[in-house]
Amino acid sequence: MHIEPNDALLVVDVQNDFLPGGSLAVAQGRRILAPINRLMPRFPFVAATRDWHPPEHRFFSRHGGPWPDHCLQGTRGAEFDAELEREHVDAIVSKGVDPQTDGYSGFAGTGLEDDLRGRGIRRVFVCGLATDYCVKATALDAKRHGFETFVIGDAIAAVNLEAGDEERALGELRAAGIPVIESDELLVSSPSPR
Ligand code: VGL
Ligand code: ZN
């Protein structure tokens, strides 16, 4: 599968709090860094989302929600992982800013859809964290908005709050017409980096 001029890579929430040592760590999170760093320079457009919560966020457990405090605006936990090669990120999309809504999707309350349309993007490839929340929500929204959408299976990892969440999320994606591909399918057959 070739990477084409109207393709975008969406890198979801590769932030310290979602990686080992962070407040909402995804156990296998670091395995996604190498494939993401290989993919980014090959894509004509790369957007990185970041979870960017205010302290009063309703989804924090101290306000009755399911999550420990994470990705608080301006904190170290909200910074991108140091290994993520930032020079290949063209746009940063802050999400989860509204304290009343979960903010899982990179399209919720952001300018991402308009930005992609303005650039003539037709296909969207989603990678990052976490498979069962923000990757899933972002990919489902991309598809709903009419983009041909793929998820990159070796460049995502799940929280797995409940056993089986990862498999269920992948099943939902496939049922929505979103294929789960491997990074090598894109890397091996696509022409030179930009
Ligand atoms: C996420 C739980 C809460 C994610 C964000 O990035 O998948 N998960 N906030
Ligand atoms: Zn969050």
Side-chain angles (χ1 to χ4, degrees):
M1 179 181 250
H2 288 274
I3 298 170
E4 289 168 10
N6 296 307
D7 289 346
L9 183 69
L10 303 187
V11 181
V12 175
D13 297 7
V14 182
Q15 292 166 276
N16 291 324
D17 271 341
F18 295 123
L19 289 156
S23 66
L24 185 38
V26 174
Q28 304 300 317
R30 300 207 72 81
R31 78 182 191 118
I32 72 172
L33 288 161
I36 291 175
N37 283 333
R38 279 195 294 269
L39 286 162
M40 289 194 295
R42 309 290 287 270
F43 270 82
F45 180 68
V46 178
T49 70
R50 62 178 182 184
D51 220 21
W52 196 245
H53 294 312
E56 67 272 21
H57 199 254
R58 291 295 135 213
F59 285 69
F60 289 167
S61 46
R62 60 188 163 113
H63 304 302
W67 307 115
D69 282 15
H70 63 276
C71 298
L72 279 162
Q73 294 170 4
T75 63
R76 201 190 120 63
E79 286 171 19
F80 292 114
D81 183 81
E83 249 182 67
L84 183 76
E85 288 169 6
R86 285 279 301 277
E87 66 271 28
H88 300 303
V89 174
D90 301 302
I92 293 172
V93 178
S94 298
K95 66 181 188 59
V97 174
D98 171 15
Q100 308 297 339
T101 54
D102 61 43
Y104 294 153
S105 167
F107 290 91
T110 71
L112 181 58
E113 185 192 359
D114 286 346
D115 191 9
L116 295 176
R117 281 204 204 294
R119 292 170 189 278
I121 297 297
R122 286 202 295 266
R123 298 196 306 181
V124 160
F125 294 77
V126 184
C127 60
L129 302 169
T131 309
D132 33 1
Y133 293 94
C134 293
V135 167
K136 180 179 89 171
T138 300
L140 289 173
D141 267 358
K143 181 81 182 181
R144 265 184 225 118
H145 289 310
F147 299 102
E148 192 178 349
T149 305
F150 302 82
V151 164
I152 304 169
D154 57 317
I156 58 175
V159 175
N160 276 322
L161 209 56
E162 309 272 349
D165 282 352
E166 177 169 39
E167 286 316 306
R168 274 189 290 277
L170 294 173
E172 279 180 63
L173 291 167
R174 291 194 181 97
I178 300 168
V180 181
I181 64 165
E182 295 299 300
S183 59
D184 273 354
E185 295 178 48
L186 290 166
L187 293 168
V188 166
S189 69
S190 297
S192 59
R194 59 175 157 167

